[in-house]
Amino acid sequence: MCVLQIYICDDEIEILNFIKKEIDNQVLIQDYDMKVCSCHTNPIDLMKDITNSKTRRNLYFLDVELKNKKYDGFLLGKAIRNIDPHATIVYITSYKDLAYKTFQYHLEAFDYIVKDSEFKLRESICNCLKSIVSQIAQENIDPIEYYTFKTGEKIHHIPLNEILYIETSMRSHFVIVHALHDRIECIGSLSDIEQQLKPRFLKIHRSYIVALDKIDELDLKNNRVWIQGNMCLVSRKMKSKLLEALNRVL
């Protein structure tokens, strides 16, 4: 299991140091696969660390009431989501009823920890880490695979089991990813993408890669397949390979 990277941002240095100390203690006592790798009172410095880091799906403890011209805690969370879409975000706040704000900013917070007495703050951090470890353990039992790609400055992570098919775009060197809830155009090569997505996906035509388990209907007489009402072409030379792949995967 990879070590979970932890980032902390709170502009009150005493609170920042307390949170780091308590997390470090719990990691040591409970032998968690976690590590505090970045602590800052300035959110801009934290964003620099995240941007330069190669790790994703990190854990973030963020102060809501940051006194910064560019970021409060929610704007910081939104910026983090653009870089690390599947981040686990925990908010540290002096106020209890701020959950509605996450909807306003299209965020999903794992937990809210109230800045109360040291005892309650310590207890909240302890319980939060236990819950995160439990969730990670469950994900490892039933892992979800993702196809990751970039459009402009935004990084997308789409579960493989939600991708229907991928086709070439009218724009040169672009493809269109068709998923259950998305249709996204991005730079890519079907041949390269097929290598990443094998064996559950197959390039059946120079213009199409399909998810084998999403095919609803075969019409090989007319060189096509149907996926949720959408028609994808099949080249003549790929007919037999498509049938072999379907027998193997399904």
Side-chain angles (χ1 to χ4, degrees):
M1 182 188 297
C2 295
V3 175
L4 181 64
Q5 305 292 313
I6 301 174
Y7 292 78
I8 308 171
C9 187
D10 196 304
D11 56 13
E12 296 182 66
I13 188 66
E14 296 83 4
I15 298 292
L16 179 73
N17 290 336
F18 183 86
I19 294 170
K20 181 182 184 305
K21 178 183 175 183
E22 292 308 317
I23 292 175
D24 285 339
N25 287 343
Q26 287 301 310
V27 168
L28 181 63
I29 294 168
Q30 304 294 339
D31 195 26
Y32 291 147
D33 287 318
M34 302 177 176
K35 181 179 72 172
V36 176
C37 65
S38 179
C39 293
H40 291 287
T41 56
N42 188 330
I44 293 175
D45 293 333
L46 188 80
M47 286 301 300
K48 288 178 182 177
D49 281 358
I50 298 167
T51 303
N52 293 330
S53 172
K54 294 181 180 180
T55 64
R56 294 296 180 260
R57 301 179 72 91
N58 302 312
L59 170 56
Y60 302 86
F61 285 82
L62 307 179
D63 179 16
V64 170
E65 298 88 28
L66 291 169
K67 299 175 182 66
N68 183 272
K69 291 182 179 179
K70 186 172 183 180
Y71 296 111
D72 63 11
F74 294 115
L75 289 174
L76 178 59
K78 187 174 182 179
I80 288 170
R81 282 266 185 252
N82 288 334
I83 297 172
D84 190 356
H86 297 282
T88 300
I89 296 177
V90 177
Y91 278 115
I92 313 292
T93 176
S94 300
Y95 305 97
K96 296 180 180 180
D97 302 319
L98 284 172
Y100 75 94
K101 280 279 191 178
T102 61
F103 293 100
Q104 180 182 337
Y105 288 92
H106 305 289
L107 293 167
E108 181 183 349
F110 183 87
D111 200 0
Y112 286 86
I113 293 177
V114 178
K115 296 179 183 179
D116 209 321
S117 66
E118 287 193 358
F119 173 79
K120 288 187 177 180
L121 184 54
R122 181 181 296 112
E123 184 179 48
S124 296
I125 291 171
C126 176
N127 291 335
C128 179
L129 292 176
K130 281 183 181 178
S131 297
I132 290 168
V133 169
S134 177
Q135 177 176 287
I136 292 171
Q138 187 61 42
E139 288 177 354
N140 288 334
I141 292 172
D142 184 20
I144 297 176
E145 296 178 88
Y146 290 87
Y147 173 50
T148 301
F149 57 95
K150 188 174 182 180
T151 56
E153 295 301 314
K154 188 173 183 179
I155 297 174
H156 301 269
H157 298 274
I158 298 182
L160 291 190
N161 59 14
E162 293 187 5
I163 298 176
L164 305 175
Y165 64 96
I166 303 170
E167 66 175 323
T168 54
S169 170
M170 297 293 290
R171 299 169 66 189
S172 180
H173 306 299
F174 278 77
V175 299
I176 301 170
V177 180
H178 296 264
L180 289 175
H181 310 292
D182 294 286
R183 181 184 180 278
I184 303 170
E185 188 177 46
C186 62
I187 295 174
S189 155
L190 288 188
S191 296
D192 292 341
I193 294 170
E194 183 189 30
Q195 294 304 312
Q196 297 176 51
L197 301 185
K198 281 184 175 180
R200 293 163 54 183
F201 292 76
L202 183 68
K203 184 181 178 186
I204 60 173
H205 186 273
R206 65 185 180 185
S207 298
Y208 293 95
I209 292 174
V210 298
L212 295 168
D213 64 344
K214 298 295 191 299
I215 294 175
D216 299 315
E217 181 182 341
L218 288 172
D219 182 7
L220 296 184
K221 181 180 179 180
N222 294 302
N223 302 321
R224 58 191 183 181
V225 300
W226 294 88
I227 300 175
Q228 293 202 359
N230 299 292
M231 186 269 290
C232 301
L233 298 175
V234 185
S235 67
R236 291 181 180 179
K237 69 177 182 179
M238 288 304 298
K239 288 182 182 181
S240 59
K241 291 183 179 180
L242 173 58
L243 289 173
E244 290 174 8
L246 287 171
N247 288 331
R248 183 180 66 251
V249 173
L250 301 181

